[in-house]
Amino acid sequence: MPALVVVGAQWGDEGKGKIVDLLTERVSAVVRYQGGHNAGHTVVIGDASFILHLIPSGILREGVGCVIGNGVVVDPAALVAEMDALEARGIRFGDQFHISDRAHLILPYHRAVEREAEKTKGTRKIGTTGRGIGPAYADKVARVGIRVGTLLDPPLFRRVLATNVESMNYFLSRLYASPPEDLFDTDVIYAEYMGFAERLAPYIRDTSLVVNGALDRGERVLFEGAQGTHLDIDFGTYPFVTSSSACAGGASTGGGVGPGRIDRVLGIVKAYTTRVGSGPFPTELNDADGERLRAEGDEYGATTGRPRRCGWFDAVAARYAVRINGIDGIALTKLDVLDGFDRLPVCTAYRLGGRVVTEFPSNPQELEDVEPVYEELPGWQGSVKGIHRLDDLPKEARAYVDRIVGLLGVSLDVVSFGVRRDQTVLLADPFVPRDP
C-alpha cells in the first residue's frame, strides 16, 4: 500500500490541516516531518475547531498513529501545553503517539537569539514568529544542538546544556549587549526540561523503526508537511523562508524513510494566494479585493493571528511547486471564498524587464520586480458551499477550477468549499497512483 506526502504548494496556509484530517480515516499513521510550533493547522469537526501546532492532525482520529519525525524541532513546553489542551477536550495520547529521539529541542536561548537577531535585520526582516525555530535548526546544522532523546539521559543533557548555555550567554552579551538579568541559568533550564522529560518519556523512540515497520506491513502512511513550498529553505523565496525542508523531499529526510518508499505527492492549493511575513508576493492585492479575500477567507495566522497578505491565484508559482515536489494531484481549497466576485484574474506569466517569463525566478530581486500577467475569468453568483458533486458547481466556477488544473498539468483529487469535513468533494483516492 502506498505512502502519500501532503505538501503545501504556495506560501503555507493552504488548508493542509483539513485535507490531512479528511484523509486520516484512510491511513494507519500520520508523520509530521519538518517545522516546529511556528506552523498551525486548523481542523473543524462539526462545531468544534482544533488548532494543531506540533501534533499531527491524525490525533483527531482514534486508532491512527501519530509521529513527530526527526526533521521537526520541538519546544517541549509548547508540546506539553498542546497535549494538555487536547486531553482536556477528550483526545487521548496512548501507545500510538511517538516522538522521534532524533528530533532537536528548542531551548529558551533559541527564542532570545531569534528576537535579538530580528531587531538588527532592517529591510531583511523575515517576519518570524519568534519561537526559536531558526536558531534551533542553526544549532542542528552547527552540530551543537540537543536532541529529544538526550532528555532520557539526564547527566548527558545537563553536560551538553551547560556548555551551550555558557556559549549562548557569551554570544548574547557580546553581540547583542544583553544585560545579565536576560542571560540564562543552566540549573533553571535543566529543572524545567527534566519535568518535560518525565511527561514525554513514554513517547520518545526511534520513529524510523515505527514508520518503516508500518510500511513493511503494507499499511498506509501519510507524511504531513508544515508551511509551503515557497517557504522551503532551498526552493522557497530565500531569504524570506522557513528553516527546514518544507518540500516533499523533506518527508524522506525528516520522516526517516528512503525516497523510494514515497508513492505519491498531493499538493494543497488555495483557490487564491496568501502569504504571511516579509518577502516577494507577485499577485498581492493592496486594495478592496485584497481586503475582501482576507475577510471572506478569515485570513489570519492560526499561530500568531497576523493578517495574511492576499492576492489572486498565481499559476506560475504553483506550477513551480508542482515541479519541485513532483506533485501528482492537487486538493483545491477555499473555493467558496471567491463566491460573488465579478471577475477572477489568474496569473499565467510574469513580465520582467520587457520580456514575458513563465518560470518562477530563483533570483529574489527579480521576483520583487516582476509584474503579473493576468488572464481574466468570469466570477459566479451564489455560494458553492452546499454542493456535493463537481457537476453541481456553477459553470463559471467549474471553468475556473478546470483552468487552474489545466495550467498546473496535474489531476484534481479533492475540492474543498469550506472549513468542515463535509464541505469537501473527494474525486479520487489520493493514495492510489493513476495512469498519466
Side-chain angles (χ1 to χ4, degrees):
M1 300 295 284
L4 175 73
V5 180
V6 173
V7 63
Q10 293 159 313
W11 277 276
D13 309 308
E14 300 95 348
K16 295 182 295 296
K18 175 188 172 176
I19 302 303
V20 170
D21 172 68
L22 181 73
L23 297 177
T24 50
E25 66 177 357
R26 301 164 177 262
V27 307
S28 295
V30 179
V31 181
R32 167 76 180 276
Y33 64 82
Q34 50 80 220
H37 64 304
N38 54 338
H41 287 171
T42 302
V43 179
V44 178
I45 304 172
D47 294 328
S49 180
F50 298 84
I51 297 178
L52 304 171
H53 300 283
L54 276 168
I55 298 170
S57 304
I59 199 67
L60 303 177
R61 298 268 191 186
E62 189 171 353
V64 174
C66 290
V67 176
I68 295 178
N70 57 277
V72 178
V73 288
V74 177
D75 183 330
L79 177 56
V80 167
E82 190 170 336
M83 293 171 67
D84 288 346
L86 289 170
E87 286 181 334
R89 300 179 67 176
I91 305 298
R92 295 182 296 173
F93 289 81
D95 58 6
Q96 289 184 297
F97 179 58
H98 314 286
I99 308 166
S100 174
D101 56 0
R102 291 183 174 90
H104 276 246
L105 289 169
I106 297 174
L107 281 298
Y109 50 72
H110 290 133
R111 293 190 292 273
V113 168
E114 185 165 48
R115 285 194 301 269
E116 294 300 327
E118 191 75 350
K119 293 177 185 176
T120 66
K121 289 180 179 175
T123 59
R124 287 174 63 87
K125 283 186 187 293
I126 305 299
T128 72
T129 59
R131 284 162 166 75
I133 310 296
Y137 276 115
D139 273 6
K140 175 180 178 177
V141 175
R143 296 166 293 181
V144 296
I146 304 177
R147 298 206 264 190
V148 169
T150 312
L151 291 174
L152 305 181
D153 187 342
L156 175 61
F157 176 73
R158 185 182 184 89
R159 189 163 64 249
V160 178
L161 176 66
T163 300
N164 283 9
V165 167
E166 182 180 3
S167 297
M168 284 294 181
N169 282 343
Y170 180 86
F171 182 73
L172 287 165
S173 62
R174 292 302 182 95
L175 182 61
Y176 296 119
S178 296
E181 61 267 24
D182 287 349
L183 302 182
F184 294 93
D185 185 298
T186 297
D187 291 337
V188 172
I189 298 176
Y190 176 80
E192 181 185 23
Y193 274 61
M194 284 299 98
F196 298 141
E198 184 176 357
R199 174 70 186 281
L200 299 177
Y203 311 109
I204 299 172
R205 55 183 52 85
D206 184 343
T207 56
S208 179
L209 292 173
V210 174
V211 178
N212 281 281
L215 292 172
D216 290 341
R217 293 188 297 272
E219 299 172 4
R220 285 184 170 186
V221 176
L222 188 155
F223 293 84
E224 174 186 22
Q227 287 97 19
T229 299
H230 297 292
L231 294 177
D232 181 89
I233 185 65
D234 289 296
F235 294 102
T237 51
Y238 192 90
F240 303 99
V241 294
T242 192
S243 303
S244 58
S245 298
C247 286
S252 180
T253 56
V257 300
R261 307 214 74 163
I262 305 298
D263 295 276
R264 206 159 184 272
V265 180
L266 178 69
I268 314 302
V269 179
K270 196 178 286 187
Y272 49 102
T273 313
T274 62
R275 175 166 197 165
V276 172
S278 305
F281 183 1
T283 64
E284 183 173 12
L285 296 170
N286 295 301
D287 58 12
D289 285 334
E291 290 295 331
R292 180 175 171 183
L293 287 171
R294 183 178 300 112
E296 295 293 333
D298 192 25
E299 296 295 353
Y300 297 89
T303 298
T304 64
R306 289 185 295 180
R308 296 176 186 138
R309 301 155 64 190
C310 297
W312 299 122
F313 185 81
D314 188 336
V316 181
R319 193 164 53 239
Y320 168 79
V322 168
R323 170 165 59 88
I324 292 301
N325 292 290
I327 290 173
D328 301 286
I330 64 167
L332 184 66
T333 65
K334 304 191 85 164
L335 187 65
D336 55 295
V337 174
L338 301 181
D339 286 345
F341 277 89
D342 294 327
R343 61 184 189 89
L344 295 170
V346 172
C347 175
T348 58
Y350 299 146
R351 188 170 287 106
L352 177 63
R355 58 193 175 95
V356 174
V357 298
T358 57
E359 295 296 340
F360 196 73
S362 59
N363 184 321
Q365 188 55 58
E366 288 186 346
L367 200 54
E368 289 279 9
D369 295 339
V370 300
E371 296 179 10
V373 176
Y374 287 115
E375 172 185 317
E376 193 164 293
L377 299 175
W380 59 89
Q381 299 305 308
S383 176
V384 301
K385 279 191 176 181
I387 79 154
H388 299 287
R389 300 182 311 148
L390 203 60
D391 289 342
D392 294 336
L393 283 173
K395 69 180 190 308
E396 296 87 356
R398 180 60 187 268
Y400 183 79
V401 171
D402 289 345
R403 183 56 177 147
I404 287 176
V405 173
L407 286 166
L408 302 188
V410 294
S411 68
L412 179 64
D413 292 359
V414 184
V415 183
S416 171
F417 309 102
V419 297
R420 301 196 315 267
R421 282 175 175 172
D422 61 351
Q423 292 175 320
T424 315
V425 174
L426 187 63
L427 300 165
D429 187 344
F431 283 89
V432 179
R434 292 188 289 283
D435 294 331

PDB file of all heavy atoms in Angstrom, residues 107 109 139 143-146 155-171 184-187 189:
ATOM      1  N   LEU A 107      15.414  25.363  22.874  1.00  0.00           N
ATOM      2  CA  LEU A 107      15.739  25.786  24.245  1.00  0.00           C
ATOM      3  C   LEU A 107      15.401  27.267  24.415  1.00  0.00           C
ATOM      4  O   LEU A 107      15.276  27.991  23.425  1.00  0.00           O
ATOM      5  CB  LEU A 107      17.214  25.549  24.539  1.00  0.00           C
ATOM      6  CG  LEU A 107      17.701  24.133  24.881  1.00  0.00           C
ATOM      7  CD1 LEU A 107      17.037  23.627  26.154  1.00  0.00           C
ATOM      8  CD2 LEU A 107      17.517  23.147  23.752  1.00  0.00           C
ATOM      9  N   TYR A 109      17.124  29.804  25.114  1.00  0.00           N
ATOM     10  CA  TYR A 109      18.060  30.742  24.493  1.00  0.00           C
ATOM     11  C   TYR A 109      17.845  30.864  22.989  1.00  0.00           C
ATOM     12  O   TYR A 109      18.208  31.868  22.389  1.00  0.00           O
ATOM     13  CB  TYR A 109      19.508  30.375  24.810  1.00  0.00           C
ATOM     14  CG  TYR A 109      19.918  28.940  24.580  1.00  0.00           C
ATOM     15  CD1 TYR A 109      20.078  28.421  23.306  1.00  0.00           C
ATOM     16  CD2 TYR A 109      20.183  28.105  25.671  1.00  0.00           C
ATOM     17  CE1 TYR A 109      20.485  27.109  23.099  1.00  0.00           C
ATOM     18  CE2 TYR A 109      20.594  26.788  25.474  1.00  0.00           C
ATOM     19  CZ  TYR A 109      20.733  26.291  24.193  1.00  0.00           C
ATOM     20  OH  TYR A 109      21.139  24.988  23.994  1.00  0.00           O
ATOM     21  N   ASP A 139      21.559  25.477  15.209  1.00  0.00           N
ATOM     22  CA  ASP A 139      22.365  24.658  16.119  1.00  0.00           C
ATOM     23  C   ASP A 139      22.468  23.222  15.618  1.00  0.00           C
ATOM     24  O   ASP A 139      23.515  22.574  15.761  1.00  0.00           O
ATOM     25  CB  ASP A 139      21.750  24.671  17.516  1.00  0.00           C
ATOM     26  CG  ASP A 139      22.234  25.850  18.355  1.00  0.00           C
ATOM     27  OD1 ASP A 139      22.943  26.710  17.805  1.00  0.00           O
ATOM     28  OD2 ASP A 139      21.888  25.905  19.556  1.00  0.00           O
ATOM     29  N   ARG A 143      25.968  21.401  14.608  1.00  0.00           N
ATOM     30  CA  ARG A 143      26.312  20.220  15.393  1.00  0.00           C
ATOM     31  C   ARG A 143      26.500  20.517  16.877  1.00  0.00           C
ATOM     32  O   ARG A 143      27.282  19.861  17.568  1.00  0.00           O
ATOM     33  CB  ARG A 143      27.553  19.518  14.805  1.00  0.00           C
ATOM     34  CG  ARG A 143      27.312  18.965  13.417  1.00  0.00           C
ATOM     35  CD  ARG A 143      28.571  18.588  12.707  1.00  0.00           C
ATOM     36  NE  ARG A 143      29.371  19.777  12.410  1.00  0.00           N
ATOM     37  CZ  ARG A 143      30.531  19.742  11.763  1.00  0.00           C
ATOM     38  NH1 ARG A 143      31.043  18.595  11.360  1.00  0.00           N
ATOM     39  NH2 ARG A 143      31.199  20.848  11.522  1.00  0.00           N
ATOM     40  N   VAL A 144      25.754  21.506  17.355  1.00  0.00           N
ATOM     41  CA  VAL A 144      25.755  21.788  18.790  1.00  0.00           C
ATOM     42  C   VAL A 144      24.339  21.703  19.361  1.00  0.00           C
ATOM     43  O   VAL A 144      24.100  22.095  20.500  1.00  0.00           O
ATOM     44  CB  VAL A 144      26.365  23.182  19.085  1.00  0.00           C
ATOM     45  CG1 VAL A 144      27.824  23.215  18.691  1.00  0.00           C
ATOM     46  CG2 VAL A 144      25.589  24.296  18.391  1.00  0.00           C
ATOM     47  N   GLY A 145      23.397  21.200  18.571  1.00  0.00           N
ATOM     48  CA  GLY A 145      22.025  21.070  19.041  1.00  0.00           C
ATOM     49  C   GLY A 145      21.883  19.934  20.044  1.00  0.00           C
ATOM     50  O   GLY A 145      22.778  19.096  20.223  1.00  0.00           O
ATOM     51  N   ILE A 146      20.752  19.925  20.709  1.00  0.00           N
ATOM     52  CA  ILE A 146      20.444  18.872  21.686  1.00  0.00           C
ATOM     53  C   ILE A 146      19.197  18.139  21.201  1.00  0.00           C
ATOM     54  O   ILE A 146      18.166  18.766  20.947  1.00  0.00           O
ATOM     55  CB  ILE A 146      20.211  19.450  23.095  1.00  0.00           C
ATOM     56  CG1 ILE A 146      21.421  20.275  23.536  1.00  0.00           C
ATOM     57  CG2 ILE A 146      19.945  18.330  24.093  1.00  0.00           C
ATOM     58  CD1 ILE A 146      21.252  20.938  24.898  1.00  0.00           C
ATOM     59  N   PRO A 155      22.313  13.071  32.961  1.00  0.00           N
ATOM     60  CA  PRO A 155      23.686  13.586  33.083  1.00  0.00           C
ATOM     61  C   PRO A 155      24.223  14.145  31.767  1.00  0.00           C
ATOM     62  O   PRO A 155      24.885  15.187  31.756  1.00  0.00           O
ATOM     63  CB  PRO A 155      24.488  12.363  33.544  1.00  0.00           C
ATOM     64  CG  PRO A 155      23.489  11.478  34.199  1.00  0.00           C
ATOM     65  CD  PRO A 155      22.225  11.660  33.417  1.00  0.00           C
ATOM     66  N   LEU A 156      23.945  13.435  30.665  1.00  0.00           N
ATOM     67  CA  LEU A 156      24.399  13.923  29.365  1.00  0.00           C
ATOM     68  C   LEU A 156      23.690  15.223  29.008  1.00  0.00           C
ATOM     69  O   LEU A 156      24.318  16.180  28.526  1.00  0.00           O
ATOM     70  CB  LEU A 156      24.129  12.866  28.289  1.00  0.00           C
ATOM     71  CG  LEU A 156      24.438  13.290  26.846  1.00  0.00           C
ATOM     72  CD1 LEU A 156      25.913  13.643  26.690  1.00  0.00           C
ATOM     73  CD2 LEU A 156      24.025  12.190  25.873  1.00  0.00           C
ATOM     74  N   PHE A 157      22.385  15.287  29.254  1.00  0.00           N
ATOM     75  CA  PHE A 157      21.631  16.503  28.951  1.00  0.00           C
ATOM     76  C   PHE A 157      22.212  17.693  29.712  1.00  0.00           C
ATOM     77  O   PHE A 157      22.433  18.765  29.138  1.00  0.00           O
ATOM     78  CB  PHE A 157      20.153  16.321  29.284  1.00  0.00           C
ATOM     79  CG  PHE A 157      19.331  17.567  29.082  1.00  0.00           C
ATOM     80  CD1 PHE A 157      19.022  18.006  27.807  1.00  0.00           C
ATOM     81  CD2 PHE A 157      18.893  18.316  30.162  1.00  0.00           C
ATOM     82  CE1 PHE A 157      18.284  19.166  27.603  1.00  0.00           C
ATOM     83  CE2 PHE A 157      18.154  19.480  29.982  1.00  0.00           C
ATOM     84  CZ  PHE A 157      17.847  19.896  28.700  1.00  0.00           C
ATOM     85  N   ARG A 158      22.480  17.506  30.984  1.00  0.00           N
ATOM     86  CA  ARG A 158      22.996  18.620  31.786  1.00  0.00           C
ATOM     87  C   ARG A 158      24.365  19.062  31.288  1.00  0.00           C
ATOM     88  O   ARG A 158      24.656  20.268  31.226  1.00  0.00           O
ATOM     89  CB  ARG A 158      23.076  18.208  33.259  1.00  0.00           C
ATOM     90  CG  ARG A 158      23.485  19.361  34.164  1.00  0.00           C
ATOM     91  CD  ARG A 158      23.615  18.943  35.610  1.00  0.00           C
ATOM     92  NE  ARG A 158      23.917  20.108  36.419  1.00  0.00           N
ATOM     93  CZ  ARG A 158      23.018  20.909  36.979  1.00  0.00           C
ATOM     94  NH1 ARG A 158      21.738  20.649  36.816  1.00  0.00           N
ATOM     95  NH2 ARG A 158      23.367  21.961  37.683  1.00  0.00           N
ATOM     96  N   ARG A 159      25.219  18.104  30.926  1.00  0.00           N
ATOM     97  CA  ARG A 159      26.565  18.431  30.481  1.00  0.00           C
ATOM     98  C   ARG A 159      26.542  19.242  29.176  1.00  0.00           C
ATOM     99  O   ARG A 159      27.221  20.270  29.053  1.00  0.00           O
ATOM    100  CB  ARG A 159      27.360  17.134  30.298  1.00  0.00           C
ATOM    101  CG  ARG A 159      28.835  17.353  30.033  1.00  0.00           C
ATOM    102  CD  ARG A 159      29.635  16.077  30.266  1.00  0.00           C
ATOM    103  NE  ARG A 159      29.274  14.998  29.347  1.00  0.00           N
ATOM    104  CZ  ARG A 159      28.648  13.883  29.698  1.00  0.00           C
ATOM    105  NH1 ARG A 159      28.282  13.695  30.965  1.00  0.00           N
ATOM    106  NH2 ARG A 159      28.378  12.952  28.801  1.00  0.00           N
ATOM    107  N   VAL A 160      25.756  18.779  28.225  1.00  0.00           N
ATOM    108  CA  VAL A 160      25.665  19.486  26.943  1.00  0.00           C
ATOM    109  C   VAL A 160      24.978  20.837  27.121  1.00  0.00           C
ATOM    110  O   VAL A 160      25.382  21.844  26.538  1.00  0.00           O
ATOM    111  CB  VAL A 160      24.918  18.626  25.901  1.00  0.00           C
ATOM    112  CG1 VAL A 160      24.794  19.380  24.583  1.00  0.00           C
ATOM    113  CG2 VAL A 160      25.631  17.300  25.685  1.00  0.00           C
ATOM    114  N   LEU A 161      23.932  20.863  27.944  1.00  0.00           N
ATOM    115  CA  LEU A 161      23.214  22.109  28.192  1.00  0.00           C
ATOM    116  C   LEU A 161      24.131  23.159  28.803  1.00  0.00           C
ATOM    117  O   LEU A 161      24.107  24.331  28.397  1.00  0.00           O
ATOM    118  CB  LEU A 161      22.021  21.840  29.120  1.00  0.00           C
ATOM    119  CG  LEU A 161      21.218  23.072  29.554  1.00  0.00           C
ATOM    120  CD1 LEU A 161      20.508  23.695  28.359  1.00  0.00           C
ATOM    121  CD2 LEU A 161      20.210  22.699  30.648  1.00  0.00           C
ATOM    122  N   ALA A 162      24.950  22.767  29.766  1.00  0.00           N
ATOM    123  CA  ALA A 162      25.836  23.727  30.437  1.00  0.00           C
ATOM    124  C   ALA A 162      26.806  24.361  29.440  1.00  0.00           C
ATOM    125  O   ALA A 162      27.050  25.578  29.481  1.00  0.00           O
ATOM    126  CB  ALA A 162      26.601  23.025  31.557  1.00  0.00           C
ATOM    127  N   THR A 163      27.335  23.552  28.534  1.00  0.00           N
ATOM    128  CA  THR A 163      28.239  24.076  27.511  1.00  0.00           C
ATOM    129  C   THR A 163      27.522  25.074  26.606  1.00  0.00           C
ATOM    130  O   THR A 163      28.051  26.153  26.293  1.00  0.00           O
ATOM    131  CB  THR A 163      28.809  22.922  26.670  1.00  0.00           C
ATOM    132  OG1 THR A 163      29.522  22.026  27.527  1.00  0.00           O
ATOM    133  CG2 THR A 163      29.735  23.443  25.584  1.00  0.00           C
ATOM    134  N   ASN A 164      26.310  24.710  26.192  1.00  0.00           N
ATOM    135  CA  ASN A 164      25.558  25.586  25.292  1.00  0.00           C
ATOM    136  C   ASN A 164      25.130  26.879  25.975  1.00  0.00           C
ATOM    137  O   ASN A 164      25.172  27.959  25.361  1.00  0.00           O
ATOM    138  CB  ASN A 164      24.332  24.851  24.758  1.00  0.00           C
ATOM    139  CG  ASN A 164      24.680  23.859  23.671  1.00  0.00           C
ATOM    140  OD1 ASN A 164      25.847  23.589  23.424  1.00  0.00           O
ATOM    141  ND2 ASN A 164      23.670  23.303  23.025  1.00  0.00           N
ATOM    142  N   VAL A 165      24.714  26.797  27.218  1.00  0.00           N
ATOM    143  CA  VAL A 165      24.293  27.999  27.941  1.00  0.00           C
ATOM    144  C   VAL A 165      25.468  28.964  28.089  1.00  0.00           C
ATOM    145  O   VAL A 165      25.320  30.184  27.903  1.00  0.00           O
ATOM    146  CB  VAL A 165      23.701  27.635  29.318  1.00  0.00           C
ATOM    147  CG1 VAL A 165      23.564  28.883  30.196  1.00  0.00           C
ATOM    148  CG2 VAL A 165      22.346  26.958  29.150  1.00  0.00           C
ATOM    149  N   GLU A 166      26.631  28.428  28.397  1.00  0.00           N
ATOM    150  CA  GLU A 166      27.815  29.286  28.516  1.00  0.00           C
ATOM    151  C   GLU A 166      28.105  29.992  27.194  1.00  0.00           C
ATOM    152  O   GLU A 166      28.369  31.202  27.160  1.00  0.00           O
ATOM    153  CB  GLU A 166      29.022  28.455  28.944  1.00  0.00           C
ATOM    154  CG  GLU A 166      30.288  29.280  29.140  1.00  0.00           C
ATOM    155  CD  GLU A 166      31.472  28.427  29.564  1.00  0.00           C
ATOM    156  OE1 GLU A 166      31.324  27.192  29.651  1.00  0.00           O
ATOM    157  OE2 GLU A 166      32.558  29.003  29.802  1.00  0.00           O
ATOM    158  N   SER A 167      28.035  29.247  26.092  1.00  0.00           N
ATOM    159  CA  SER A 167      28.306  29.840  24.778  1.00  0.00           C
ATOM    160  C   SER A 167      27.253  30.869  24.402  1.00  0.00           C
ATOM    161  O   SER A 167      27.568  31.951  23.886  1.00  0.00           O
ATOM    162  CB  SER A 167      28.353  28.741  23.712  1.00  0.00           C
ATOM    163  OG  SER A 167      29.397  27.840  23.958  1.00  0.00           O
ATOM    164  N   MET A 168      25.992  30.541  24.654  1.00  0.00           N
ATOM    165  CA  MET A 168      24.902  31.445  24.277  1.00  0.00           C
ATOM    166  C   MET A 168      24.916  32.713  25.110  1.00  0.00           C
ATOM    167  O   MET A 168      24.639  33.809  24.601  1.00  0.00           O
ATOM    168  CB  MET A 168      23.554  30.734  24.406  1.00  0.00           C
ATOM    169  CG  MET A 168      23.271  29.761  23.287  1.00  0.00           C
ATOM    170  SD  MET A 168      23.079  30.626  21.700  1.00  0.00           S
ATOM    171  CE  MET A 168      22.742  29.241  20.618  1.00  0.00           C
ATOM    172  N   ASN A 169      25.220  32.613  26.393  1.00  0.00           N
ATOM    173  CA  ASN A 169      25.300  33.808  27.235  1.00  0.00           C
ATOM    174  C   ASN A 169      26.415  34.735  26.760  1.00  0.00           C
ATOM    175  O   ASN A 169      26.260  35.963  26.733  1.00  0.00           O
ATOM    176  CB  ASN A 169      25.526  33.416  28.689  1.00  0.00           C
ATOM    177  CG  ASN A 169      24.252  32.943  29.370  1.00  0.00           C
ATOM    178  OD1 ASN A 169      23.146  33.186  28.873  1.00  0.00           O
ATOM    179  ND2 ASN A 169      24.400  32.264  30.495  1.00  0.00           N
ATOM    180  N   TYR A 170      27.547  34.153  26.386  1.00  0.00           N
ATOM    181  CA  TYR A 170      28.648  34.948  25.834  1.00  0.00           C
ATOM    182  C   TYR A 170      28.206  35.643  24.551  1.00  0.00           C
ATOM    183  O   TYR A 170      28.449  36.843  24.357  1.00  0.00           O
ATOM    184  CB  TYR A 170      29.847  34.032  25.566  1.00  0.00           C
ATOM    185  CG  TYR A 170      31.045  34.740  24.985  1.00  0.00           C
ATOM    186  CD1 TYR A 170      31.989  35.353  25.814  1.00  0.00           C
ATOM    187  CD2 TYR A 170      31.240  34.796  23.618  1.00  0.00           C
ATOM    188  CE1 TYR A 170      33.091  36.009  25.279  1.00  0.00           C
ATOM    189  CE2 TYR A 170      32.338  35.450  23.069  1.00  0.00           C
ATOM    190  CZ  TYR A 170      33.253  36.057  23.901  1.00  0.00           C
ATOM    191  OH  TYR A 170      34.337  36.709  23.373  1.00  0.00           O
ATOM    192  N   PHE A 171      27.539  34.889  23.699  1.00  0.00           N
ATOM    193  CA  PHE A 171      27.061  35.407  22.415  1.00  0.00           C
ATOM    194  C   PHE A 171      26.063  36.550  22.625  1.00  0.00           C
ATOM    195  O   PHE A 171      26.177  37.622  22.022  1.00  0.00           O
ATOM    196  CB  PHE A 171      26.414  34.251  21.656  1.00  0.00           C
ATOM    197  CG  PHE A 171      25.909  34.593  20.282  1.00  0.00           C
ATOM    198  CD1 PHE A 171      26.791  34.804  19.229  1.00  0.00           C
ATOM    199  CD2 PHE A 171      24.542  34.679  20.025  1.00  0.00           C
ATOM    200  CE1 PHE A 171      26.321  35.103  17.955  1.00  0.00           C
ATOM    201  CE2 PHE A 171      24.071  34.979  18.760  1.00  0.00           C
ATOM    202  CZ  PHE A 171      24.955  35.196  17.725  1.00  0.00           C
ATOM    203  N   PHE A 184      20.960  33.303  30.792  1.00  0.00           N
ATOM    204  CA  PHE A 184      20.300  32.053  31.174  1.00  0.00           C
ATOM    205  C   PHE A 184      21.089  31.287  32.221  1.00  0.00           C
ATOM    206  O   PHE A 184      22.322  31.367  32.288  1.00  0.00           O
ATOM    207  CB  PHE A 184      20.071  31.190  29.929  1.00  0.00           C
ATOM    208  CG  PHE A 184      19.093  31.819  28.975  1.00  0.00           C
ATOM    209  CD1 PHE A 184      19.533  32.623  27.931  1.00  0.00           C
ATOM    210  CD2 PHE A 184      17.725  31.659  29.145  1.00  0.00           C
ATOM    211  CE1 PHE A 184      18.634  33.225  27.069  1.00  0.00           C
ATOM    212  CE2 PHE A 184      16.826  32.269  28.293  1.00  0.00           C
ATOM    213  CZ  PHE A 184      17.277  33.056  27.254  1.00  0.00           C
ATOM    214  N   ASP A 185      20.337  30.520  33.018  1.00  0.00           N
ATOM    215  CA  ASP A 185      20.900  29.737  34.111  1.00  0.00           C
ATOM    216  C   ASP A 185      20.704  28.258  33.793  1.00  0.00           C
ATOM    217  O   ASP A 185      19.569  27.804  33.600  1.00  0.00           O
ATOM    218  CB  ASP A 185      20.194  30.110  35.426  1.00  0.00           C
ATOM    219  CG  ASP A 185      20.812  29.433  36.636  1.00  0.00           C
ATOM    220  OD1 ASP A 185      20.804  28.194  36.691  1.00  0.00           O
ATOM    221  OD2 ASP A 185      21.297  30.145  37.537  1.00  0.00           O
ATOM    222  N   THR A 186      21.803  27.516  33.764  1.00  0.00           N
ATOM    223  CA  THR A 186      21.732  26.092  33.438  1.00  0.00           C
ATOM    224  C   THR A 186      20.810  25.336  34.390  1.00  0.00           C
ATOM    225  O   THR A 186      19.998  24.497  33.959  1.00  0.00           O
ATOM    226  CB  THR A 186      23.139  25.467  33.478  1.00  0.00           C
ATOM    227  OG1 THR A 186      23.957  26.083  32.486  1.00  0.00           O
ATOM    228  CG2 THR A 186      23.077  23.965  33.213  1.00  0.00           C
ATOM    229  N   ASP A 187      20.905  25.625  35.680  1.00  0.00           N
ATOM    230  CA  ASP A 187      20.110  24.890  36.667  1.00  0.00           C
ATOM    231  C   ASP A 187      18.615  25.086  36.438  1.00  0.00           C
ATOM    232  O   ASP A 187      17.822  24.148  36.575  1.00  0.00           O
ATOM    233  CB  ASP A 187      20.466  25.334  38.090  1.00  0.00           C
ATOM    234  CG  ASP A 187      21.874  24.906  38.489  1.00  0.00           C
ATOM    235  OD1 ASP A 187      22.382  23.931  37.892  1.00  0.00           O
ATOM    236  OD2 ASP A 187      22.449  25.547  39.391  1.00  0.00           O
ATOM    237  N   ILE A 189      17.031  25.897  33.566  1.00  0.00           N
ATOM    238  CA  ILE A 189      16.593  25.207  32.350  1.00  0.00           C
ATOM    239  C   ILE A 189      16.586  23.695  32.583  1.00  0.00           C
ATOM    240  O   ILE A 189      15.654  22.993  32.182  1.00  0.00           O
ATOM    241  CB  ILE A 189      17.495  25.563  31.154  1.00  0.00           C
ATOM    242  CG1 ILE A 189      17.417  27.056  30.861  1.00  0.00           C
ATOM    243  CG2 ILE A 189      17.091  24.757  29.920  1.00  0.00           C
ATOM    244  CD1 ILE A 189      18.363  27.516  29.760  1.00  0.00           C
TER     245      ILE A 189
END
